[in-house]
Amino acid sequence: MNYVRKIREDLYWVGGSDRRLALFENAYPVPNGIAYNSYLLIDEKIVLFDTADRAVSEQYQANVEAVLAGRHLDYLVVHHMEPDHCWAIGEMMRNYPDMKIVCTATAMKMIGQFFDVDNIKERIMVVAEGDTLNTGNHELTFVTAPMVHWPEVMVTYDKSTKTLFSADAFGSFGAINGNLYTDEVNYERDYLDESRRYYSNIVGKYGVQVQALLKKASSLEIEMLCPLHGLIWRENIGWIVDKYLKWSSYTPEEKGVVIAYASIYGNTENAANILAGMLADKGLRNIKMYDVSATHDSYILADAFRYSHLVFASVTYNNGIFTNMENLLHHIAAHNLQNRTVAFIQNGTWAPTSGKLMKDIIEPLKGMSILEQMPTLKSAVKPDQVKELAALADAIVASM
Ligand code: FEO
């Protein structure tokens, strides 16, 4: 038996949650699990929105069958072809031979690449920007969202219920633990950090494309957002849209300092601690510190999207940047972070070079303001470096 969640009289959540997965996309830790959402609309024509990941496929198929209760499935709308949502398309096509897939032309190509489908063109209804599908009581409008964060992505607006099926947008890491709606949990306390970490790591690079989607969405009256991951929005939609406007324009949410350090024996860490103490004494309250060897870079990237100031402190290692710090900096650059004030601290017992090398990665990013102070340690912190750290603390406060 399974217990299918009813959203409205004719709309059901038929997804599943995975709490065993170690790394989403084999890259991002998901200690709170991950939900793969799918929605089923029971109208005169029956429409399924997306499939689900292999990990929850059995639950997903059982949910769909339970709601259908022997009825025929008319359409499968495919918003996104990443396998965490498309994995079951092949099986659904076999199980429901009369079902038509509704997707963009780019998605149709991808279906052919992922699955072995005969007569693919007969099974697929290609839609473009603004096309509609009338299902009886509902009129669905398809809105393309290319490169949010794949090229084939589209979202669907149901005019009759003012519902936007938003693909990966407005999603979050974290399983669904009974409560299906953001207004049933303390979202800001318990979910926002994972929502930001999901956005910044999965979609963060594509701010321009997200802004384009937000612009299209701003012309729609939206009362419910149904994303492919995380909880459904039916209240405070303006609040999460405002977060997306900030994240996608690379605007800091808050003034604050993220200090990320790479330290082998603790001397660089000591410099980072001294700087943090000085900043606190100068009245700063939003100070986050991360040892890049202890914290996965997805968490540090998320805070880099949140706060206005970033300090990177690294030892010199093999005449370069300590590996975990180098990975973090490349991760930040690959995600197109912009508009931050940045400082560097370097250490090197005989030839400190990590400061310049770190700067070379971050300085080319758009809108980065690099502070000229670069405290340089040649092993342990000495009185001269305390002065340099004090000067950096002054410069950070002055630039707030
Ligand atoms: Fe959740 Fe881009 O797939």
Side-chain angles (χ1 to χ4, degrees), residues 286-299:
N286 282 334
I287 305 169
K288 290 288 196 81
M289 295 190 70
Y290 292 107
D291 182 328
V292 296
S293 298
T295 302
H296 191 272
D297 54 18
S298 63
Y299 291 89

Side-chain angles (χ1 to χ4, degrees), residues 15-250:
S17 283
D18 184 359
R19 297 180 185 81
R20 293 185 176 196
L21 185 67
L23 296 174
F24 179 71
E25 291 187 3
N26 215 8
Y28 305 105
V30 278
N32 304 327
I34 181 90
Y36 305 102
N37 297 337
S38 170
Y39 305 93
L40 185 52
L41 178 67
I42 305 294
D43 200 359
E44 287 167 27
K45 297 288 183 190
I46 298 180
V47 183
L48 180 61
F49 296 96
D50 298 294
T51 71
D53 188 78
R54 181 203 312 243
V56 300
S57 189
E58 197 175 330
Q59 178 71 63
Y60 162 75
Q61 308 259 10
N63 286 343
V64 172
E65 282 170 28
V67 178
L68 285 177
R71 284 172 291 199
H72 172 78
L73 185 56
D74 294 290
Y75 296 105
L76 168 61
V77 173
V78 173
H79 291 118
H80 182 23
M81 278 300 295
E82 195 163 5
D84 55 330
H85 309 293
C86 84
W87 190 83
I89 285 180
E91 203 165 341
M92 297 304 282
M93 289 179 94
R94 285 190 291 279
N95 291 349
Y96 302 96
D98 298 326
M99 173 193 82
K100 277 243 178 204
I101 290 183
V102 180
C103 65
T104 61
T106 313
M108 183 173 79
K109 274 191 213 152
M110 290 181 179
I111 290 172
Q113 290 166 212
F114 277 107
F115 303 100
D116 296 319
V117 188
D118 299 329
N119 60 345
I120 188 165
K121 288 197 172 153
E122 291 162 31
R123 303 290 311 268
I124 293 181
M125 183 174 125
V126 170
V127 291
E129 179 75 20
D131 284 353
T132 58
L133 176 67
N134 196 303
T135 61
N137 295 313
H138 297 261
E139 184 176 283
L140 306 177
T141 304
F142 304 107
V143 178
T144 58
M147 291 317 301
V148 179
H149 56 134
W150 277 33
E152 83 297 358
V153 174
M154 68 174 190
V155 300
T156 298
Y157 181 62
D158 177 0
K159 195 163 68 175
S160 54
T161 58
K162 301 183 173 71
T163 298
L164 186 70
F165 297 92
S166 61
D168 272 344
F170 306 108
S172 175
F173 291 136
I176 288 176
N177 303 317
N179 297 118
L180 192 55
Y181 305 96
T182 60
D183 55 274
E184 294 176 336
V185 300
N186 187 331
Y187 196 85
E188 188 161 7
R189 185 190 67 194
D190 297 333
Y191 285 82
L192 177 59
D193 285 349
E194 284 296 78
S195 177
R196 184 188 302 104
R197 189 166 69 92
Y198 172 84
Y199 174 85
S200 54
N201 284 275
I202 307 298
V203 194
K205 179 183 174 67
Y206 303 100
V208 170
Q209 292 84 354
V210 173
Q211 292 260 314
L213 176 61
L214 292 173
K215 196 173 170 198
K216 289 184 193 178
S218 69
S219 66
L220 306 172
E221 205 179 333
I222 297 171
E223 290 183 356
M224 183 176 279
L225 280 174
C226 293
L228 285 174
H229 300 286
L231 305 179
I232 295 169
W233 291 86
R234 59 182 180 184
E235 291 181 12
N236 283 334
I237 288 173
W239 181 82
I240 191 66
V241 168
D242 184 59
K243 295 287 180 200
Y244 264 65
L245 284 167
K246 285 202 169 72
W247 297 338
S248 59
S249 61
Y250 307 99

Side-chain angles (χ1 to χ4, degrees), residues 3 144 152 158 202 245 249 271 282 311 324 336 338 357 360 397:
Y3 184 69
T144 58
E152 83 297 358
D158 177 0
I202 307 298
L245 284 167
S249 61
K282 289 175 186 300
V311 178
N324 289 30
N336 206 17
Q338 302 169 20
L357 296 171
D360 287 347
V397 171

